[in-house]
Amino acid sequence: MVKENLENVRKNIKKACEKAGRDVSEVTLIAVSKTKPVPMLQEAYDAGSRDFGENKVQEIMDKYPVLPQDIRWHMIGHLQRNKVKYIVDKVCLIHSVDSLRLAEEISSQAEKKKVEVDILVEVNIAHEESKFGTSREEAISLVEEISKLPHIHVKGLMTIAPFVENPEDNRKYFKQIKELSVDIMKKNIDNVSMEILSMGMTGDYMVAVEEGATMVRVGTGIFGERNYNI
């Protein structure tokens, strides 16, 4: 099932790229493996997946040692400052940096572990109260502040668009994130690039790709419904 689902998602990404006149190599598919057991992740790995996204630090800690070492782990969920030290040397990218205090902790732990950490600034583009993320208005000043910290590099933006029945309803938010990334890029801030736009999930990733996403986070579309009981 996982292999077939993956093939289907990849075909859809290719279709969206063709529609937008983009090269499919510009888009990284992150298999969102939260709550899923190791054998399912192994199945996705065997079908070619190398980028896996987790919401919880504990799940990265549990899965990291038992799965192949060439997996690129992405921290996509809300990250508490007291948990940073556990994953700072294990993940290739932290998608969910939404405050200067969190960035400072990442910088501090990176120094201790002697690593450089790539991050994305999370923007709550739709101003949803239930979601984390900085506002569009504050995003630029947050990026500027984070850019001054050592051992941490801003690589782009991430957003979690609203849950909608019709993916077209989120197109405007993906457009806004793309515009914001262009505005930030024009400022030529040292230690900041906007090469990554992490946006789009199972319900709307094709629209996200059409609007410039370079990373899409697909869980249900690959692994099936999430298990909320663990």
Side-chain angles (χ1 to χ4, degrees):
M1 177 192 84
V2 170
K3 188 182 178 187
E4 281 142 29
N5 288 347
L6 259 172
E7 279 168 14
N8 193 34
V9 172
R10 286 177 186 140
K11 273 183 202 152
N12 285 339
I13 290 173
K14 189 167 184 278
K15 225 179 285 177
C17 282
E18 282 165 3
K19 189 175 170 188
R22 298 179 66 195
D23 195 293
V24 74
S25 65
E26 293 171 28
V27 182
T28 299
L29 170 59
I30 298 170
V32 177
S33 43
K34 52 193 179 185
T35 79
K36 295 301 175 189
V38 164
M40 279 186 101
L41 274 73
Q42 186 65 50
E43 205 180 323
Y45 178 91
D46 293 342
S49 279
R50 290 298 179 271
D51 290 271
F52 289 83
E54 289 289 345
N55 256 42
K56 292 191 164 70
V57 167
Q58 191 55 53
E59 286 209 54
I60 293 175
M61 299 293 293
D62 293 345
K63 292 169 180 175
Y64 182 87
V66 295
L67 280 154
Q69 287 304 293
D70 63 339
I71 284 177
R72 292 179 291 272
W73 293 98
H74 297 254
M75 178 66 197
I76 60 172
H78 181 62
L79 180 56
Q80 294 165 301
R81 292 196 308 280
N82 63 350
K83 301 272 180 73
V84 169
K85 58 179 177 274
Y86 300 114
I87 57 150
V88 82
D89 56 347
K90 294 180 177 64
V91 296
C92 72
L93 187 63
I94 298 172
H95 291 232
S96 47
V97 178
D98 59 358
S99 72
L100 183 58
R101 288 177 74 195
L102 175 57
E104 286 169 343
E105 183 61 24
I106 293 168
S107 174
S108 161
Q109 293 298 335
E111 187 169 14
K112 284 180 191 168
K113 299 264 174 101
K114 295 184 170 52
V115 291
E116 300 292 312
V117 182
D118 290 342
I119 64 126
L120 305 179
V121 168
E122 181 176 359
V123 183
N124 184 351
I125 199 73
H127 298 288
E128 290 184 280
E129 281 186 17
S130 60
K131 294 209 175 109
F132 293 100
T134 187
S135 67
R136 182 181 182 172
E137 296 70 32
E138 289 166 4
I140 294 179
S141 59
L142 179 59
V143 166
E144 285 173 333
E145 288 298 315
I146 295 173
S147 73
K148 299 167 191 164
L149 298 170
H151 311 292
I152 183 170
H153 311 286
V154 180
K155 293 292 183 183
L157 304 174
M158 181 269 241
T159 199
I160 300 172
F163 181 77
V164 289
E165 291 296 322
N166 180 1
E168 284 297 328
D169 293 345
N170 279 338
R171 190 179 290 277
K172 62 184 177 201
Y173 297 122
F174 299 142
K175 272 190 197 317
Q176 286 171 24
I177 287 285
K178 176 68 179 175
E179 285 162 11
L180 178 59
S181 77
V182 171
D183 291 344
I184 293 171
M185 214 159 50
K186 282 179 184 161
K187 289 187 170 289
N188 286 322
I189 308 163
D190 280 350
N191 194 27
V192 172
S193 78
M194 285 287 125
E195 66 197 63
I196 298 174
L197 284 185
S198 170
M199 58 187 194
M201 293 157 71
T202 294
D204 56 17
Y205 66 89
M206 289 180 77
V207 172
V209 168
E210 287 169 21
E211 294 303 332
T214 66
M215 286 187 174
V216 292
R217 310 177 304 270
V218 180
T220 308
I222 295 171
F223 297 106
E225 291 299 328
R226 235 185 297 163
N227 177 6
Y228 286 99
N229 301 323
I230 62 167

